């Protein structure tokens, strides 16, 4: 009996849907909206819900939710529903950023509900929450744990970013090259390849100088050397013409390395 009921509903749906569009003004149409929780009408938001709930096409749904937001069509609902869809396809970080950026388009009384959506996204993406603080050490710990449980290219890129922010460039390169070499699930996606490549480019641009200079058996930190040189160059007892020979030698050696 249950099978027959389901077949009847499916046949009704087929009659209601023509060429991917909904028929209007019929009892069958009303039944369709009740069963599938799709609002009536033919606006961008309605088409987005149709793509989300009926066609099960998240990418099309996201594009239509964007259209709804741009056209002022149920902006609050479009933002929240789009965030839900993004979370389902592992784009929670992007959803957080979008909600934070565009929530000003919503009324004051809707801000609490948007906060609830953000809290839910943060719970599912603790690493990103720590990144926003920023607390890169805790974010690193979260992403490493997540990679042990369910590795994917997106979290690997986040881990690489955490390591880069902490100045651990060699470790960051190692992680990101795993994405470039498709050694992690999801690495073959264009977005993952582009993001990892962009991060690698940024990291390598920071490697123009070594972390330290080993001169005469002494390891001299570059940041310390720069600060010391600025102090020496300030107006006062030491002028540039009176620099100690060791600073001239270190500066010359560093310039050669940078070339």
């Amino acid at each position: 009996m249950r099978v027959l009921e389901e077949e009847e509903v499916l046949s009704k749906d087929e009659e209601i849907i023509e060429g991917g569009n909904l028929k209007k003004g019929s009892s069958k149409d009303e039944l369709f909206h009740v069963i599938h929780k799709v609002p009536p009408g033919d606006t961008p938001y309605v088409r987005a819900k149709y793509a989300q709930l009926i066609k099960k096409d998240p990418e099309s749904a996201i594009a239509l939710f964007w259209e709804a937001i741009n056209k002022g069509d149920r902006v609050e609902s479009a933002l929240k529903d789009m965030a839900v869809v993004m979370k389902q396809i592992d784009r929670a970080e992007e959803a957080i950023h979008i909600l934070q950026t565009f929530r000003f388009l919503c009324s004051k009384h809707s801000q609490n509900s948007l906060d609830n959506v953000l809290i839910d996204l943060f719970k599912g993406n603790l690493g990103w929450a720590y990144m926003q603080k920023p607390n890169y050490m805790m974010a690193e710990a979260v992403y490493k744990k997540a990679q042990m449980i369910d590795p994917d290219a997106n979290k690997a890129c986040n881990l690489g970013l955490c390591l880069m922010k902490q100045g651990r460039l060699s470790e960051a390169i190692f992680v990101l090259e795993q994405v470039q070499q498709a050694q992690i699930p999801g690495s073959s996606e264009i977005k993952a390849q582009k993001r990892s490549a962009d991060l690698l480019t940024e990291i390598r641009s920071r490697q123009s100088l070594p972390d330290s200079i080993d001169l005469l058996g002494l390891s001299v930190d570059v940041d310390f050397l720069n600060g010391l040189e600025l102090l020496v160059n300030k107006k006062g007892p030491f002028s540039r013409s009176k620099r100690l020979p060791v600073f001239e030698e270190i500066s010359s050696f560093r310039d050669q390395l940078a070339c």
Side-chain angles (χ1 to χ4, degrees), residues 7 35 57 64 80 82 114 122-123 148 165 179 186 199 221 258:
E7 288 179 351
I35 292 173
D57 184 352
L64 287 164
K80 292 191 291 188
M82 184 167 66
L114 291 171
F122 278 129
K123 285 179 180 178
M148 292 173 63
K165 293 291 187 180
V179 178
L199 285 170
D221 185 82

Side-chain angles (χ1 to χ4, degrees), residues 197-212:
D198 289 344
L199 285 170
L200 282 169
T201 299
E202 182 177 352
I203 290 170
R204 284 164 179 153
S205 70
R206 297 186 181 192
Q207 290 186 313
S208 57
L209 285 176
D211 293 334
S212 64

Side-chain angles (χ1 to χ4, degrees), residues 8 78 149 152 167-168 174 196 211 233 237 245:
E8 288 176 2
I149 298 171
D152 68 57
R168 292 153 61 187
F174 176 77
S196 59
D211 293 334
N233 289 335

Side-chain angles (χ1 to χ4, degrees), residues 101-118:
T101 303
F102 293 99
R103 63 184 302 167
F104 76 93
L105 296 172
C106 303
S107 62
K108 289 183 179 179
H109 74 268
S110 66
Q111 298 301 314
N112 286 337
S113 62
L114 291 171
D115 283 336
N116 292 332
V117 176
L118 278 170

Side-chain angles (χ1 to χ4, degrees), residues 1-10:
M1 184 68 181
R2 177 67 178 168
V3 174
L4 289 174
E5 290 176 357
E6 291 179 352
E7 288 179 351
E8 288 176 2
V9 170
L10 287 173

